[in-house]
Amino acid sequence: METQQKKFLVNEKEVNRIITRMAHEIIEKNHGAKELCIIGIRTRGVYVGERLANIIKKIENVEVPVGILDITLYRDDVDSIDKQPIVKETDIPFDITNKKILLVDDVLFTGRSTRAALDAIMDFGRPKEIQLAVLIDRGHRELPIQADFVGKKVFTSLKEIVEVNLKEIDNIDQIKIVNIK
Amino acid sequence: MRLKRKDLLGLEDLDAKEIELILKTAKPFKELFTRSIKKVPTLRGKTVVNLFYEPSTRTKASFELAEKRLSADVLNISVPTSSVVKGETLIDTGKTIEAMMADFVVIRHSMAGAPHLLAKEIKSSVINAGDGTHEHPTQALLDMFTMKEKKGTLKGLRVILIGDILHSRVARSNIWGLTKMGAKVTVVGPATLIPSKIEKMGVDVSYHLEEVISKADVIYTLRIQKERQKQHLFPSLREYTELYGINTARLKMMKKNVIIMHPGPMNRGIEISSDVADGPHSVITEQITNGIAIRMAILYLLSGGETRELTR
Amino acid sequence: MNLLVKGARVIDPSKKLDKKIDILIENGKIAKLSQNILSKKANVKVIDAKGKVVIPGIIDMHTHLREPGREDEETIATGTRAAAAGGVTSVVCMPNTQPVIDNQAQVELILNKAQKEGLVNVFVVGAITKASKGEELAPIGELQRAGAVAISDDGNPVMNSQIMRRALEYSKMFKLPVISHCEDLDLSKDGVMNEGYNSTILGLRGIPTESEEIMIARDIKLAQMTGGYLHIAHVSSKDSVNLIRKAKKQKIKVSCETCPHYFTLSDDAVVTFDTNTKIKPPLRTKEDIRAIKQGIKDGTIDCIATDHAPHLDMEKNQEYELAPFGIIGLETLVPLIITELVDKKVLSLPEAIKKVTINPARVLNLKKGTLSVGSNADLTIIDLNLEKTISTFMSKSKNSPFIGRKLKGFAILTMVNGKIAMQDGKISK
């Protein structure tokens, strides 16, 4: 895929501010962080989830466990995607039954990844509640799914990609909009 | 990343990268087994036909579980060997299955090349679940997965295959796979059961078990079939056990961290003694568990992407 | 009608002839060979063969016509048409039909039918033993009087050495050659391909070369012992050639043939499980191919024959182990010889022609394989430069491993007894 015209949306400092604000909102809405478990969707949802957990710990002094979810096997497009994704391990080292699950992803787009993640979580047990937190909501939903916590809402065209870079994997914190040629 | 092929017919055709991909993909599938719900929806709406021309318990069960855990619809067809000669031809059976819109055909057949014949004629992905004395690729992949899991790497691993190499599709597929992954393979057995020019496959040959076992990281012993005795391939099972049986006395000559493998079903007390088969070095039951993960990985990797074309 | 073949290079190894010369055919016989024959007579049809090669009609000394019994695979009518299409003017058919050609009635049946329906000359080989069971001698004298030109239990080798000895002894009285299909059935049991690296990786049961060589060695000893006329069919392995070479040095009466596939294909061709590579003896190794070519070159191998063995698609299109042995060969004989032997400088053109004309005629005592004046006008015209990709056949069966192969040097005219049986690929009615 050739890309051009990168448009900076959010820089490093702002990424931190957004995540910090989201952490506060999460604590506020849940009246603390007890019973809360974070499950991050591979790959970048995991890092956003870990950062949220760190901030929550600083504020509330509560250890929020973070699990990793690989949704590849739950996707609805296994035989139509060009590059078949590599299946990676899911690692949810806690029992989710009767817990409040905060599902974390980097970008909310069609809603299909969230759908796949919800199905996957349900196979692990019966949580009390699932909330959704995303760094960017770029619109264009194809399923009736909304996030409970949104870092930033962006209006995009279908010809654009939202590229999230995080230090843990990309060495830099930034969010860009890129045009697909 | 995906397997850029319609069928999985043998390890002779795969390169090291493809083997690596399958082994790597099997790992997350194995993780699924620790969950209370072991099923994922990946192949929902896909149809898999298990076409078995040869009786098989474990391979068939393993494939069936793998298919069901991926949520595929599974149809089992067992054709008694007697009707191979008289009944419907393989190609006609294949065409019938294709017309039922099967996405995959898993075939076990008593004759070498049967999966290849089928793969040429039908659009469905064909997976070889053992053809005659030719190949048994999924078995070798699960074996390599097990070795890698236990030993960390296949490169430089010393693997000894013991027994009826001549009639063993498991041995052939393991030799292709292991040599491609950089393992050092030695085949051991009576001269009558070592096929002609096997050294050309990149293995060492020995007729004397005790001369080679001390160096082995993996001891892989094969099932010996009584019928071979009638074909004058060895004088008696007793003599076979004496020369090639794996028992506690021989285990003591091996490395402390050696692992013992067997593709099953075992002849306890013949090629392997019960105490070794059930002992701490044996990974035989893990091979079975890993078999499901490997078969899930293969089904997943063959299901991807582009429209399937006939390879001919 | 009389015919005049003009302008061709005429090669007749029986007369050591190789020059540009015209041939006049009158009343079905060769009337005259000389330069610049003018066609004065009104009823002479001139065949312009400029730039082409004219040779004595090709004799295929090893053909399975399948009639009677397996007319679904081939008949005398279709088999002789395939022969004509391939430039072959005489076929020598093997007796392993159903029933086996082991009595005079069977021989006469074939010859009568060939007279009526055959497009080329048909010669018959009778069985060595009754029903080719290897147990009792067939009535060899009766077979010869009915017209058999040799005896053979092709396809069902005589395993009993005593019976083989008696066959060689007895047939000697009639100067009838014994064509031996050399295969030790115990060693080849259940085998479907050559034993070696390829059979090992394919997991297919192998047939060792020794299965052939042991029986060749036995038959040579028996020929030496009895003074009988031994002809070894379809030689495929290096040591088979060595054994025969040695026997010939010892002046033992032994001749032999090989087939085009044994100097063209090795067992590497089996790796696709293409059942059109399944034959007996099996395709051997590249080393064997080299030895076969050497044997052809130094004269150890006298003849080249097709072992034309038609089988139906439905028989061949199944599991390798279930498919029958055998491939067709009449229509690929000439181009394989030209492409693999002449163009690759294994043999000169006249040497190559010898192996399919006068040599088989001598082995079988046939008055064929020559363009001598007065002999029946059997001749073949070859276009050495014609290239074709093998795709269709006149034979009723299509089991050829050469389908899709581009070959050079094809017969463009086949004349049998002064009549054109094939011209430019078209078969006469």
Side-chain angles (χ1 to χ4, degrees):
Chain A
M1 199 182 326
E2 268 188 71
T3 56
Q4 58 173 24
Q5 280 187 337
K6 299 192 178 184
K7 193 156 69 182
F8 276 92
L9 206 59
V10 175
N11 64 22
E12 190 173 339
K13 272 185 188 162
E14 282 169 328
V15 170
N16 279 327
R17 283 187 200 125
I18 290 170
I19 295 177
T20 309
R21 192 198 79 228
M22 289 171 74
H24 280 281
E25 285 174 6
I26 291 161
I27 296 163
E28 186 189 355
K29 184 171 177 196
N30 290 289
H31 310 291
K34 276 180 194 162
E35 295 182 356
L36 197 63
C37 299
I38 290 177
I39 293 180
I41 299 177
R42 268 191 200 275
T43 303
R44 287 173 184 75
V46 178
Y47 304 121
V48 177
E50 281 168 354
R51 289 193 197 185
L52 286 170
N54 285 336
I55 300 167
I56 291 170
K57 194 189 171 190
K58 275 182 205 153
I59 304 167
E60 290 286 306
N61 203 20
V62 174
E63 195 82 51
V64 178
V66 180
I68 300 169
L69 182 65
D70 185 274
I71 57 161
T72 312
L73 299 174
Y74 287 84
R75 295 176 69 129
D76 55 9
D77 55 357
V78 172
D79 59 4
S80 59
I81 31 187
D82 260 4
K83 284 190 178 164
Q84 198 179 26
I86 293 174
V87 191
K88 293 189 180 128
E89 274 129 315
T90 287
D91 183 16
I92 301 176
F94 44 81
D95 184 7
I96 63 165
T97 304
N98 285 326
K99 298 278 168 53
K100 274 190 198 171
I101 302 295
L102 180 69
L103 183 63
V104 182
D105 205 353
D106 54 351
V107 179
L108 178 56
F109 185 22
T110 60
R112 288 181 191 271
S113 299
T114 312
R115 195 281 308 160
L118 290 173
D119 282 352
I121 291 172
M122 293 305 183
D123 280 355
F124 276 86
R126 188 177 186 281
K128 194 182 193 176
E129 186 185 342
I130 301 178
Q131 299 168 11
L132 176 63
V134 296
L135 204 49
I136 300 289
D137 178 354
R138 61 168 293 193
H140 302 292
R141 215 74 80 241
E142 291 168 8
L143 297 173
I145 283 169
Q146 296 307 328
D148 300 275
F149 309 99
V150 177
K152 195 173 176 71
K153 246 193 166 97
V154 190
F155 296 97
T156 59
S157 128
L158 282 173
K159 285 178 194 152
E160 293 168 327
I161 299 176
V162 175
E163 201 181 289
V164 174
N165 295 139
L166 295 172
K167 268 183 187 161
E168 290 89 335
I169 182 166
D170 308 305
N171 297 320
I172 186 166
D173 279 355
Q174 64 178 23
I175 302 169
K176 290 179 295 189
I177 293 184
V178 183
N179 275 349
I180 312 166
K181 201 181 174 183
Chain B
M1 279 278 270
R2 47 196 299 261
L3 282 180
K4 288 197 177 65
R5 49 178 72 243
K6 172 170 110 34
D7 313 299
L8 179 69
L9 301 178
L11 292 195
E12 187 190 356
D13 318 323
L14 297 194
D15 59 32
K17 266 191 187 155
E18 290 174 295
I19 293 171
E20 187 72 53
L21 175 65
I22 296 170
L23 298 182
K24 215 166 118 187
T25 306
K27 244 179 123 182
F29 282 103
K30 194 178 178 188
E31 177 263 321
L32 289 177
F33 305 162
T34 60
R35 303 185 192 172
S36 56
I37 295 177
K38 296 174 178 62
K39 190 171 175 142
V40 289
T42 319
L43 294 188
R44 206 166 43 187
K46 304 267 178 209
T47 306
V48 187
V49 173
N50 297 319
L51 180 59
F52 276 64
Y53 283 90
E54 221 183 39
S56 153
T57 311
R58 55 190 64 216
T59 304
K60 193 170 161 189
S62 178
F63 264 108
E64 199 171 333
L65 261 183
E67 292 149 8
K68 287 182 169 164
R69 284 181 182 174
L70 286 168
S71 304
D73 294 318
V74 180
L75 174 68
N76 290 311
I77 302 178
S78 293
V79 190
T81 322
S82 59
S83 67
V84 170
V85 186
K86 285 183 193 165
E88 190 179 44
T89 67
L90 176 61
I91 291 172
D92 284 341
T93 307
K95 295 272 183 203
T96 308
I97 292 169
E98 188 186 27
M100 293 171 177
M101 309 291 168
D103 299 282
F104 296 93
V105 180
V106 175
I107 178 175
R108 156 72 63 99
H109 201 290
S110 59
M111 292 175 197
H116 306 67
L117 180 65
L118 190 65
K120 260 192 277 177
E121 297 287 338
I122 67 173
K123 287 196 196 79
S124 322
S125 283
V126 175
I127 299 174
N128 181 0
D131 62 326
T133 56
H134 179 220
E135 282 229 45
H136 193 349
T138 60
Q139 175 72 43
L141 286 164
L142 77 89
D143 294 334
M144 288 193 279
F145 181 85
T146 309
M147 292 179 209
K148 202 175 169 195
E149 201 176 46
K150 294 287 160 190
K151 296 288 178 185
T153 177
L154 295 173
K155 199 159 187 180
L157 205 65
R158 287 184 178 274
V159 181
I160 296 190
L161 296 169
I162 303 160
D164 185 357
I165 311 293
L166 179 64
H167 298 96
S168 177
R169 52 191 171 212
V170 175
R172 281 175 182 77
S173 287
N174 263 300
I175 292 170
W176 284 123
L178 286 167
T179 51
K180 282 175 190 190
M181 300 309 284
K184 291 198 169 75
V185 182
T186 304
V187 295
V188 185
T192 44
L193 294 175
I194 304 285
S196 166
K197 306 219 159 82
I198 193 155
E199 332 65 72
K200 247 181 102 179
M201 290 182 84
V203 301
D204 291 329
V205 176
S206 170
Y207 306 121
H208 307 290
L209 186 60
E210 287 173 11
E211 287 176 7
V212 290
I213 48 176
S214 64
K215 289 182 213 139
D217 298 306
V218 178
I219 291 282
Y220 196 119
T221 179
L222 298 161
R223 181 180 167 80
I224 187 86
Q225 285 178 325
K226 264 195 193 136
E227 303 93 87
R228 308 297 176 211
Q229 197 181 320
K230 286 184 211 130
Q231 297 163 345
H232 321 293
L233 290 164
F234 59 91
S236 72
L237 283 178
R238 206 178 122 230
E239 180 159 320
Y240 180 85
T241 306
E242 221 165 84
L243 293 171
Y244 301 105
I246 299 297
N247 51 33
T248 313
R250 289 199 167 119
L251 191 62
K252 281 182 187 143
M253 302 176 201
M254 299 179 203
K255 282 189 184 172
K256 284 211 167 66
N257 61 351
V258 70
I259 58 169
I260 310 284
M261 301 176 73
H262 191 292
M266 284 182 277
N267 294 305
R268 284 174 182 266
I270 296 173
E271 68 259 7
I272 189 164
S273 70
S274 267
D275 44 354
V276 175
D278 303 329
H281 295 275
S282 164
V283 296
I284 296 168
T285 52
E286 281 165 80
Q287 282 173 270
I288 297 163
T289 312
N290 292 340
I292 304 167
I294 276 288
R295 289 170 179 125
M296 287 174 85
I298 289 163
L299 286 161
Y300 170 72
L301 289 169
L302 288 177
S303 71
E306 297 150 40
T307 32
R308 292 170 206 168
E309 301 273 337
L310 283 179
T311 44
R312 70 178 147 173
Chain C
M1 200 201 298
N2 297 329
L3 294 162
L4 177 60
V5 181
K6 276 192 81 72
R9 172 184 171 194
V10 176
I11 302 176
D12 181 358
S14 75
K15 298 192 298 175
K16 295 204 165 67
L17 176 76
D18 181 359
K19 63 177 169 189
K20 249 189 203 149
I21 201 170
D22 296 346
I23 306 173
L24 181 68
I25 294 120
E26 284 178 345
N27 305 320
K29 297 202 185 295
I30 306 279
K32 192 176 170 189
L33 286 102
S34 104
Q35 265 152 1
N36 294 319
I37 304 178
L38 296 173
S39 51
K40 285 174 204 152
K41 289 180 192 163
N43 66 340
V44 171
K45 184 185 166 189
V46 178
I47 298 167
D48 178 14
K50 209 174 281 168
K52 311 293 189 292
V53 176
V54 176
I55 65 169
I58 293 171
I59 301 163
D60 179 26
M61 68 176 302
H62 198 135
T63 310
H64 297 273
L65 289 178
R66 298 289 184 232
E67 191 170 349
R70 285 307 303 267
E71 290 86 349
D72 53 336
E73 294 180 329
E74 195 83 282
T75 61
I76 290 168
T78 59
T80 53
R81 270 156 189 76
V88 175
T89 59
S90 297
V91 293
V92 180
C93 68
M94 285 294 160
N96 61 337
T97 47
Q98 296 165 11
V100 169
I101 306 172
D102 63 358
N103 58 61
Q104 62 178 5
Q106 289 292 330
V107 176
E108 283 163 5
L109 177 95
I110 307 279
L111 291 176
N112 286 339
K113 220 151 183 208
Q115 198 71 41
K116 274 185 265 169
E117 298 169 15
L119 195 58
V120 304
N121 306 306
V122 174
F123 294 96
V124 178
V125 177
I128 298 174
T129 62
K130 284 179 188 152
S132 286
K133 281 185 173 158
E135 290 162 1
E136 294 171 76
L137 288 184
I140 294 168
E142 175 188 306
L143 285 167
Q144 194 205 25
R145 263 178 291 153
V149 296
I151 51 170
S152 178
D153 277 357
D154 186 51
N156 303 289
V158 181
M159 282 293 284
N160 185 320
S161 305
Q162 180 71 304
I163 290 172
M164 194 61 179
R165 170 199 170 168
R166 298 302 181 210
L168 282 160
E169 266 172 353
Y170 193 79
S171 61
K172 184 175 69 169
M173 302 191 294
F174 311 102
K175 292 205 158 114
L176 207 56
V178 178
I179 301 176
S180 180
H181 166 131
C182 289
E183 176 188 354
D184 182 319
L185 293 173
D186 293 316
L187 277 176
S188 66
K189 191 168 178 239
D190 297 331
V192 295
M193 68 174 293
N194 183 47
E195 182 173 314
Y197 177 67
N198 283 318
S199 68
T200 289
I201 64 166
L202 293 172
L204 290 171
R205 198 70 64 82
I207 301 174
T209 55
E210 286 75 6
S211 158
E212 176 177 328
E213 290 148 2
I214 284 171
M215 294 306 259
I216 289 181
R218 179 198 76 171
D219 288 352
I220 285 171
K221 283 309 289 181
L222 293 175
Q224 184 179 28
M225 171 191 189
T226 60
Y229 299 86
L230 175 66
H231 177 82
I232 314 278
H234 40 56
V235 169
S236 75
S237 86
K238 181 181 169 181
D239 274 344
S240 297
V241 177
N242 289 339
L243 285 163
I244 296 162
R245 185 180 290 123
K246 197 175 144 213
K248 284 189 164 184
K249 268 192 197 138
Q250 293 173 285
K251 308 283 179 213
I252 298 166
K253 274 182 251 163
V254 55
S255 58
C256 72
E257 80 207 13
T258 190
C259 311
H261 36 277
Y262 299 121
F263 57 72
T264 309
L265 296 174
S266 74
D267 63 353
D268 291 344
V270 184
V271 299
T272 58
F273 292 102
D274 176 4
T275 53
N276 285 334
T277 61
K278 186 175 172 184
I279 35 175
K280 257 189 189 175
L283 296 173
R284 306 291 189 186
T285 64
K286 293 203 177 82
E287 193 186 343
D288 293 299
I289 291 180
R290 277 194 292 277
I292 293 287
K293 284 184 173 171
Q294 184 53 41
I296 289 172
K297 200 179 166 79
D298 67 21
T300 304
I301 296 174
D302 309 273
C303 308
I304 297 169
T306 65
D307 198 2
H308 179 83
H311 289 293
L312 297 179
D313 268 2
M314 58 172 258
E315 295 175 295
K316 277 289 191 181
N317 209 359
Q318 52 181 339
E319 293 87 331
Y320 203 87
E321 286 168 55
L322 295 179
F325 290 94
I327 58 175
I328 56 169
L330 284 167
E331 292 163 78
T332 47
L333 174 68
V334 170
L336 285 168
I337 289 173
I338 304 290
T339 309
E340 296 296 325
L341 298 180
V342 178
D343 283 0
K344 291 186 178 167
K345 311 250 183 268
V346 177
L347 291 181
S348 69
L349 189 56
E351 285 167 334
I353 289 160
K354 210 172 161 185
K355 311 262 182 202
V356 289
T357 56
I358 189 64
N359 282 5
R362 281 180 185 146
V363 170
L364 299 171
N365 305 309
L366 307 179
K367 288 192 187 99
K368 293 280 174 192
T370 173
L371 294 172
S372 314
V373 171
S375 60
N376 288 338
D378 290 354
L379 61 81
T380 304
I381 305 183
I382 296 171
D383 182 346
L384 291 175
N385 298 314
L386 181 60
E387 282 190 332
K388 275 199 270 188
T389 302
I390 303 299
S391 59
T392 55
F393 300 97
M394 287 305 298
S395 168
K396 217 169 182 180
S397 294
K398 286 152 198 64
N399 50 313
S400 167
F402 300 111
I403 293 170
R405 205 179 174 99
K406 199 172 170 190
L407 295 173
K408 202 172 132 195
F410 285 80
I412 54 163
L413 188 141
T414 309
M415 188 187 295
V416 182
N417 295 318
K419 284 190 195 120
I420 293 172
M422 181 278 285
Q423 190 165 14
D424 296 325
K426 283 185 199 74
I427 297 292
S428 334
K429 291 277 157 62

